[in-house]
Amino acid sequence: MSTTDQPAGKAEITQWPRATNTGHLHGDYFPRAARVALADPQLRRNIGNATTIIREKRGSVVAELDDWAELRAAGAAIKDATMADLGDHLERLETEVAARGGVVHWAADADEANRIVIEIARRAEARDVVKVKSMATQEIGLNEALAEAGISAWETDLAELIVQLGDDMPSHILVPAIHRNRSEIRDIFRREMGNVGVPAPDGLTDDPPALAEAARIHLRNRFLTTDMAISGANFGVAETGTVMVVESEGNGRMCLTLPRVLVTVMGIEKLIPTWRDLEVYLQLLPRSSTGERMNPYTTMWTGVTQGDGPEEFHLVLLDNGRSTILADPEGRPALRCIRCSACLNVCPVYERTGGHAYGSIYPGPIGAVLSPQLTGVADNPSLPFASTLCGACYEVCPVAIDIPTMLVSLRAKVAADPDSGDARERAVFRSAAWAMSRPQRWTRLLRLMRLGRFLARRGSFRNLPPPFNGWTATRDLPAPPDQSFRDWWTAQRDGGGDA
Amino acid sequence: MPDRQLVDTPFVPATRTSRQAILDRVRAATAGFEPAPVRRDYRQAGAHPQPDPETLLEVLIDRLVDYKAEVTQCAITDVHTAVTAFLSAEEAVRVVVPDGFPDEWLAGSTDSESGLVRLDDTGPLTVDELDAADGVVTTCAVAVAETGTIVLDAGAGQGRRALTLLPDLHVVVVTADQVVARVPDALGRLDPRRPLTWISGPSATSDIELNRVEGVHGPRRLRVVVAESG
Amino acid sequence: MRVALFATCLVDAMSPGVGKATVEVLERLGCTVEFPMGQTCCGQMHTNTGYPDQAAPMVAGFQEAFADHEYIVAPSGSCVASVKHQHEWIAAGQLTDRHVTEARRLADRTYELSQFIVDVLGVTDVGAFYPHRVTYHPACHATRMLGVGDRPLQLLRAVRGLELVELPEATSCCGFGGTFSFKNADVSSAMLTDKIHHVLSTAAESCVAVDASCLLHIGGGLSRNRTGVTTVHLAEVLAATEAP
Ligand code: SF4
C-alpha cells in the first residue's frame, strides 16, 4: 500500500487540504447578500412563517421527553468519542460493509468523490440517476459533475425537486425550498415539469396535497425505471456496517430499494461506533429537525441483501476538509453536527435573511462555523460575523455545539489572516485597547469623550461618520454624559462629598 | 489519482492512497484528544419502569392516529375481520401477501366471493405488478409506542422492502407482544444485518411551508391492526 | 457584606446613572460597595470582534483590579458572561498559566446584579417604588449564558406601583451583538425593528433589561423613531423609591 502523504505532524496540519473549490461552500460578502434578502418581502414572509411553525413544533415534542438534557449530553459525548478514534471506526465500518457485500471508496476531496461516483455510473451504464436529498453531494457539486459526464441526476425529495426545477439554490438544510411558498411552487411545477418529464396535472392548484400529488405523478415512473440511485447518510454504524437514511416522503425508500445500484456518499463525521448509539440519535434527530416524534420513514441497511434492494452498494467516504477541522480542537465540535437544522430555525439572523445570503449550502449558524472551516477562513471571511452571538443556536442544538464560542474563535482566525483581516479595523481596535487597558488612559479618554457633547443635537447623535454611520442610519446614539461614573464616584466618595 | 486505475480494477476500491491519507490524517488530527466519557443517563432500554401493557397500546394508538394512520384494536382471533374491513373499505382488490403472513389472518378475505385477488411474491413480483397492486398486508417486527413507529425487518409476513413501498395502501398487523415503550427498547429487538424500515404514519412531507401533508411517494394510507391475545 | 462593583466600560462612559443606581440598591440592601479604580473593561468587544490578543491586557487588568474581592457584581449580563466564559480562553491563548487559574477563580466570584441580589443576598423585594407600566426584555447573554432565568422578573414583580406587561417574542435578540450592529447594520436594524414593534405592542412606558448595551441599542431605535418610549436598566427601577 503506497501513500503519498506522510503521517502529519502538528506543523503540517495547517497545510492540510481544505474542501476543494468544486462544490457549493463559498459565500458572497454576507452583509451585502443579506441586504438583498432583507428587501424581499415574499422571502421574509415565507421564511418567517416557516421558522415560526417549526420552532413551535420542535418545542412541544422536545418537552415531551423528560430526559432530553441527558440525551443531548450523550449525543455530544458519543460523537466526541467517535472522533477520538475515528481512524479505527472508519476501518471497522469498511470491514463490515465489505463483509456484507458492499464496496467502500475513500475520497479525499470533492473532485475525487465525484470521479468515483461517475466511474460507478459508467460501469453501471447509467445515464440517469435518482437522488435522495443529501447535503454531502451538494457540498461536492455532484449533480454538476454528473451533468458534465453526460449523466442526469434527478432530485426526488419534494423540496429538492422544487429547487432543481426552479433552477434555484437550496436555502435550508432540511427544507431546501423553505424560501418558496405554495403558489410559487405551483408556478414552478406548471412551468417546468413538462420540460423534463411528466408534466404537472391540468388545473394544478396551490393546495399542498395537490402539489404533493403532482410530485408523486411526476416522479413515479422515474423511480420504477432508473437503474442507479445516489444518497447521503445520516449515520453509519461502525460495528455493524449499517447505514441509515431518515426521510418523510418515501422517495428515500424508493431510491434505496428499487434501483439495481446504490451509491451512498457519506462524510467521515457521520460515523457512530455502535448499534446501540442509534437509540440516542433516533430520538434527538426527528424531534430537532421536523419537530416530529419520529419522521415517517427511516431506512437502515447493511451491505447488500440477496433478493431485497440493490444488488450493488457503494459507500463513498468523504473527507473534503473534515480531517483538517478535526485537527483543530476549537473547530472540532462542528463535526458533531447531525444536520437537524434546529439552529437555523431559531437563528434571528437566518430568520430574516434566509439561506441564500450565506452563499454556502450550509447556511445559518452551523453554516457560519462549518463553511469557513471547510474552505479555510480566507474564502469565507464574512460568515463568522453573521451572528449576534445571542446563543439561541447553542440552546437548541441536540449535540450541544457551542456555536457562539466557535464563531468567536473563527473571528480571531479571520482577523489574524493576512488576506482577510482588516488592517484599518485592527489599528482602530489596537488604539482602543491601548486606551482601555490602563485606568489612567481610560479616565483621560472618558474626559475627552465629553467634548463630543458639543457635536450632539438635543442630547444625541443622528448622523455619525463611518464606521459609525451603520449605527446612526437607523438608531440614535446618546451623547456622552457630562460626568463618567468613575468621576462621579471619585467626587462623591473619595472626595468626601455626600451622595 | 489516475483515472485509469479505477477503470482497470473492477469493483475494488481504487483509491488506496486516499484511504491511507485520510486514515493518517484523522489519526494525527485526534492524537491526544481525550473527550469526556459517554454517560448514558437518559432512559435506557428496560431501565425504567415499563408502562403497563394497556397504557402501552393506548400510547401507541394515540401516536399512530396523531400521525394520520387509521387503527383498529381487536382480539388476535379477530384479526382477519379487521384486515378484511380495512381492505374492503379502501376497495382494495389486488392485494400483495408476503410469504409467511398467517393464513388465518386472511381467512375469508381472498376466497372467490370476496373478490380479492391475492398476489404472492413467488416469482418475484415485478415493480409494475407491485405498482398495479391496490394494497399490501404485512406483519411487523417491533412497534414503538412513544413515537408511534412500526418497524419492518423483512421477516416472515413482511417480505422484501419493495412490497410495502409501491402499493398505495399498507395494512399492518401489530401484536401486543411486539409493542415496546421507547426507542431504546426497540433497538435491542432488532438485527442490524436485516434491512430495516421504520414507519411512522403514512408517507408525508413538510416541504411546503413546513406544513405536514400526508401522502407523497410511499403508501398514502397506513392502516394498523393492533391485536391483543385473548 | 463587601461588594466590588464592576461598572463595565459602557456604564462608566455612557450610562453612569446605571452605576449610581447599582450602588444605591446594593447599599440599601446592606452591602458595602467599593469601586476598584484599576478597572476598565472586560475586553468583550475586542474578543468578539476577533482580537483576543488585544483583549488580553484588559483581562490582566481586570484580574489585577479585582484580585482581592470576594464578590464582584456588575449591572451587565454580557460583561459577566465574558468574565465567566471568555477570560479563561483568552488567558490560555494569550497570557500565562497564572492568569488562567486567576480567570477561573474570579469567574466564580463574579455575579450579574439580579443573580447577586436573589441568590447571594436572598432578597426579591428590594423596597423599590416605580409607578410605571414597563415590559422586560431578557437580554441574550444574561438569559442563555448566565441563566438568570426569571430573577429579574421576581425583582420587578416585587416593585410597588410597577405594572409589568409581558413582551411578545421576548427571548429573540434585539440585534445588537456588539460590532455586529455596525458590520451587519442591515440585519441588526431588521431585528431591532421587530423588537421595537413588540415593545410598542405592550403599550409600556419603558423597556427594562439587565444589560446597558442592549438598552443602548433598543433605546437608540426607540428614540430614532420618536416613539416616546424609553429604556431603563433594572438597577434604575430597583433604585427608585417613594420617598425622594
Ligand atoms: S449545529 Fe446542532 S442544531 Fe445546527 S444543524 Fe447541526 S446538530 Fe442541528
Side-chain angles (χ1 to χ4, degrees):
Chain A
M1 200 175 296
S2 71
T3 164
T4 48
D5 296 47
Q6 297 298 313
K10 184 98 180 139
E12 285 167 71
I13 286 175
T14 51
Q15 306 301 314
W16 279 3
R18 298 285 183 175
T20 43
N21 211 345
T22 328
H24 304 295
L25 290 171
H26 296 260
D28 192 4
Y29 177 58
F30 183 81
R32 192 163 43 231
R35 192 176 311 140
V36 175
L38 288 169
D40 182 341
Q42 182 81 74
L43 179 92
R44 295 285 298 275
R45 218 181 113 77
N46 293 355
I47 307 244
N49 285 347
T51 51
T52 307
I53 292 172
I54 195 78
R55 279 201 301 263
E56 278 166 20
K57 282 209 245 176
R58 178 203 162 272
S60 70
V61 293
V62 164
E64 279 180 10
L65 293 189
D66 55 10
D67 56 349
W68 185 259
E70 290 78 13
L71 284 165
R72 181 173 184 254
I78 292 168
K79 281 282 184 180
D80 283 356
T82 316
M83 283 186 240
D85 295 311
L86 187 56
D88 295 353
H89 293 308
L90 284 167
E91 286 187 309
R92 178 75 191 269
L93 178 80
E94 180 186 41
T95 307
E96 296 298 328
V97 170
R100 306 280 302 167
V103 186
V104 177
H105 307 260
W106 302 71
D109 58 22
D111 296 332
E112 189 172 17
N114 290 337
R115 279 204 305 272
I116 292 168
V117 178
I118 289 167
E119 188 51 39
I120 296 168
R122 285 212 177 113
R123 282 175 194 289
E125 294 176 1
R127 306 212 54 82
D128 295 272
V129 298
V130 281
K131 283 189 69 202
V132 199
K133 185 179 135 29
S134 138
M135 296 307 295
T137 61
Q138 280 174 21
E139 173 189 322
I140 62 178
L142 178 61
N143 289 6
E144 290 81 351
L146 286 168
E148 263 173 49
I151 301 160
S152 308
W154 303 103
E155 295 290 352
T156 64
D157 171 81
L158 180 52
E160 288 288 1
L161 180 71
I162 297 164
V163 168
Q164 192 175 41
L165 288 173
D167 196 17
D168 203 350
M169 282 289 286
S171 64
H172 189 273
I173 295 177
L174 180 75
V175 195
I178 197 171
H179 57 290
R180 298 289 195 187
N181 66 15
R182 58 185 76 186
S183 53
E184 292 173 286
I185 294 168
R186 181 208 40 205
D187 295 345
I188 292 170
F189 278 9
R190 277 189 181 164
R191 199 175 62 232
E192 302 293 340
M193 276 183 165
N195 298 333
V196 293
V198 180
D202 285 340
L204 177 65
T205 67
D206 65 359
D207 190 28
L211 295 170
E213 167 88 18
R216 179 182 171 101
I217 296 167
H218 179 72
L219 288 172
R220 193 74 177 177
N221 201 47
R222 190 102 66 204
F223 285 133
L224 302 187
T225 56
T226 306
D227 250 4
M228 174 166 154
I230 299 174
S231 82
N234 293 96
F235 297 97
V237 182
E239 75 170 355
T240 61
T242 308
V243 180
M244 170 176 140
V245 166
V246 303
E247 53 132 354
S248 296
E249 296 162 17
N251 64 307
R253 291 176 70 192
M254 294 279 179
C255 294
L256 301 168
T257 314
L258 297 181
R260 195 178 58 76
V261 179
L262 171 62
V263 183
T264 298
V265 180
M266 181 174 102
I268 54 173
E269 84 283 17
K270 294 283 166 192
L271 257 69
I272 50 173
T274 70
W275 173 246
R276 183 194 181 187
D277 294 330
L278 278 180
E279 71 191 23
V280 174
Y281 299 103
L282 275 171
Q283 297 191 74
L284 291 173
L285 180 56
R287 288 179 200 258
S288 299
S289 58
T290 48
E292 295 167 307
R293 297 186 190 100
M294 190 64 88
N295 50 293
Y297 298 134
T298 296
T299 299
M300 303 175 186
W301 72 98
T302 307
V304 172
T305 305
Q306 277 297 314
D308 187 346
E311 293 160 28
E312 242 181 70
F313 169 52
H314 298 265
L315 179 62
V316 182
L317 297 172
L318 176 72
D319 184 335
N320 205 36
R322 286 164 176 73
S323 56
T324 310
I325 297 179
L326 197 58
D328 175 4
E330 282 171 12
R332 195 178 282 152
L335 296 179
R336 287 182 199 156
C337 174
I338 57 173
R339 310 277 189 270
C340 72
S341 69
C343 59
L344 277 63
N345 301 332
V346 299
C347 175
V349 176
Y350 178 89
E351 186 184 9
R352 287 170 180 83
T353 65
H356 291 159
Y358 294 79
S360 165
I361 54 129
Y362 298 116
I366 184 60
V369 295
L370 198 56
S371 310
Q373 291 199 83
L374 284 167
T375 60
V377 290
D379 278 342
N380 266 314
S382 65
L383 288 187
F385 296 90
S387 164
T388 61
L389 308 177
C390 78
C393 47
Y394 180 27
E395 190 174 51
V396 296
C397 177
V399 287
I401 302 175
D402 185 353
I403 294 176
T405 296
M406 296 179 69
L407 286 167
V408 169
S409 133
L410 276 169
R411 288 175 183 189
K413 291 190 169 82
V414 174
D417 185 84
D419 297 329
S420 355
D422 178 342
R424 247 185 347 168
E425 183 190 271
R426 176 170 275 279
V428 170
F429 272 79
R430 188 180 299 121
S431 24
W434 181 85
M436 294 173 90
S437 48
R438 288 276 184 285
Q440 302 77 8
R441 294 176 196 155
W442 173 237
T443 307
R444 256 178 280 138
L445 178 68
L446 288 179
R447 293 195 181 134
L448 205 64
M449 274 172 63
R450 263 188 301 186
L451 297 175
R453 293 172 61 77
F454 301 112
L455 302 172
R457 289 178 47 213
R458 283 189 295 275
S460 60
F461 298 106
R462 307 229 152 108
N463 195 1
L464 287 169
F468 305 104
N469 57 342
W471 176 286
T472 53
T474 56
R475 293 151 286 205
D476 290 347
L477 187 71
D482 57 3
Q483 193 181 35
S484 69
F485 176 78
R486 69 181 54 222
D487 281 349
W488 171 83
W489 178 275
T490 311
Q492 300 303 316
R493 302 284 162 141
D494 299 349
D498 192 58
Chain B
M1 218 18 264
D3 273 317
R4 283 200 48 76
Q5 215 177 328
L6 277 161
V7 179
D8 291 342
T9 332
F11 300 117
V12 170
T15 49
R16 286 290 180 202
T17 47
S18 288
R19 178 186 190 278
Q20 202 51 49
I22 292 170
L23 286 171
D24 286 347
R25 271 189 228 137
V26 298
R27 288 198 164 109
T30 52
F33 174 38
E34 279 174 32
V38 176
R39 292 183 47 175
R40 296 179 194 268
D41 298 335
Y42 56 86
R43 295 198 196 192
Q44 299 176 48
H48 48 92
Q50 292 283 324
D52 62 85
E54 213 155 292
T55 316
L56 212 54
L57 294 190
E58 247 169 55
V59 174
L60 175 70
I61 292 167
D62 175 75
R63 301 294 148 92
L64 282 166
V65 170
D66 195 21
Y67 284 162
K68 304 294 185 293
E70 280 183 28
V71 186
T72 301
Q73 201 172 356
C74 68
I76 193 96
T77 46
D78 285 336
V79 169
H80 63 282
T81 320
V83 169
T84 311
F86 272 143
L87 291 174
S88 55
E90 299 295 331
E91 294 174 21
V93 178
R94 303 170 56 77
V95 177
V96 177
V97 183
D99 210 23
F101 188 83
D103 276 340
E104 64 273 23
W105 287 358
L106 269 179
S109 32
T110 51
D111 55 24
S112 48
E113 336 163 5
S114 71
L116 290 185
V117 180
R118 176 184 173 127
L119 304 174
D120 290 303
D121 193 31
T122 48
L125 294 164
T126 66
V127 285
D128 291 328
E129 286 170 318
L130 286 170
D131 195 34
D134 297 320
V136 57
V137 290
T138 71
T139 63
C140 73
V142 177
V144 186
E146 188 181 60
T147 59
T149 303
I150 290 163
V151 188
L152 306 182
D153 71 353
Q158 300 165 48
R160 62 197 169 96
R161 287 172 285 172
L163 304 192
T164 46
L165 178 57
L166 293 174
D168 209 9
L169 167 70
H170 182 188
V171 180
V172 56
V173 182
V174 180
T175 56
D177 59 315
Q178 291 178 313
V179 182
V180 298
R182 303 166 61 110
V183 172
D185 303 297
L187 282 161
R189 291 205 186 190
L190 293 166
D191 177 357
R193 283 162 307 187
R194 307 184 70 93
L196 301 174
T197 307
W198 297 50
I199 297 172
S200 311
S203 133
T205 181
S206 301
D207 283 354
I208 302 162
E209 300 175 11
L210 279 172
N211 278 310
R212 184 169 159 128
V213 175
E214 277 73 24
V216 199
H217 303 295
R220 284 182 283 191
R221 287 158 296 161
L222 178 68
R223 305 289 182 256
V224 184
V225 178
V226 178
E228 288 175 276
S229 44
Chain C
M1 186 181 288
R2 268 181 71 218
V3 173
L5 172 66
F6 173 40
T8 77
C9 67
L10 187 70
V11 165
D12 197 356
M14 299 296 288
S15 318
V18 174
K20 294 177 206 173
T22 306
V23 175
E24 209 165 312
V25 175
L26 290 173
E27 289 184 342
R28 191 193 304 147
L29 297 173
C31 300
T32 308
V33 181
E34 296 170 22
F35 181 79
M37 292 301 287
Q39 65 179 285
T40 56
C41 166
C42 66
Q44 181 186 193
M45 184 179 70
H46 285 78
T47 310
N48 288 352
T49 313
Y51 305 104
D53 50 337
Q54 298 177 357
M58 291 177 239
V59 171
F62 179 88
Q63 296 187 347
E64 230 170 274
F66 290 98
D68 300 329
H69 295 275
E70 199 71 28
Y71 293 103
I72 306 159
V73 177
S76 160
S78 70
C79 303
V80 172
S82 178
V83 171
K84 282 178 166 312
H85 300 287
Q86 296 185 323
H87 278 199
E88 185 183 336
W89 175 70
I90 296 164
Q94 320 284 340
L95 299 165
T96 66
D97 285 352
R98 189 179 56 75
H99 289 98
V100 175
T101 320
E102 185 66 359
R104 275 187 218 131
R105 196 177 69 93
L106 293 186
D108 290 342
R109 299 177 169 205
T110 307
Y111 298 85
E112 182 277 326
L113 179 64
S114 73
Q115 283 185 315
F116 181 76
I117 296 175
V118 175
D119 296 350
V120 180
L121 300 181
V123 175
T124 48
D125 184 350
V126 301
F129 174 73
Y130 193 80
H132 299 283
R133 181 180 169 98
V134 304
T135 191
Y136 169 70
H137 164 67
C140 297
H141 289 175
T143 306
R144 301 202 180 87
M145 291 176 79
L146 299 179
V148 300
D150 69 345
R151 290 176 187 82
L153 288 170
Q154 290 178 34
L155 292 165
L156 285 173
R157 286 194 197 104
V159 173
R160 269 168 290 284
L162 183 135
E163 186 190 351
L164 183 63
V165 207
E166 197 182 323
L167 180 65
E169 302 283 331
T171 53
S172 84
C173 175
C174 76
F176 175 58
T179 44
F180 178 86
S181 57
F182 300 88
K183 286 176 181 273
N184 279 287
D186 294 285
V187 187
S188 172
S189 299
M191 292 165 69
L192 178 60
T193 302
D194 291 345
K195 181 58 72 182
I196 287 177
H197 166 78
H198 291 309
V199 170
L200 295 181
S201 78
T202 65
E205 295 161 64
S206 307
C207 175
V208 182
V210 297
D211 226 308
S213 53
C214 310
L215 290 177
L216 190 74
H217 189 235
I218 297 171
L222 288 169
S223 151
R224 168 59 53 93
N225 290 288
R226 314 293 190 269
T227 59
V229 178
T230 59
T231 53
V232 50
H233 193 282
L234 177 71
E236 294 172 302
V237 176
L238 300 183
T241 50
E242 199 154 5

